[in-house]
Amino acid sequence: MQKRNNYIDWLKGFAIFTVVFGHCWMRDEALYWFIYRFHMVLFMTISGYLFNAKRGFKDFFFKKVNDFLLCFGF
């Protein structure tokens, strides 16, 4: 059994918080747009990593960045 990675757990908690916070009405429009730009991407990236955690996070991250760049023709 693998040991749990506390950093991933904290990041997951932060991602869940930003998803809930991002979907709530906020008075500060600048903060709303800041959170809205990354909250779902962060949550889905962590979920994807945990779904297929055979590789390390660094390998997973760079593969996703490479896939993203190839998708847009870079």
Side-chain angles (χ1 to χ4, degrees), residues 18-29 31-32 36:
T18 59
V19 168
V20 171
F21 195 68
H23 284 92
C24 293
W25 178 80
M26 292 186 288
R27 291 179 185 237
D28 187 1
E29 192 171 321
L31 180 61
Y32 173 79
Y36 199 78

Side-chain angles (χ1 to χ4, degrees), residues 48-73:
Y49 168 69
L50 293 174
F51 184 72
N52 186 13
K54 294 176 185 172
R55 297 177 285 170
F57 183 75
K58 182 179 173 182
D59 293 334
F60 172 80
F61 178 77
F62 285 115
K63 169 134 181 29
K64 289 301 171 191
V65 168
N66 188 37
D67 292 346
F68 177 76
L69 293 174
L70 288 175
C71 180
F72 289 100

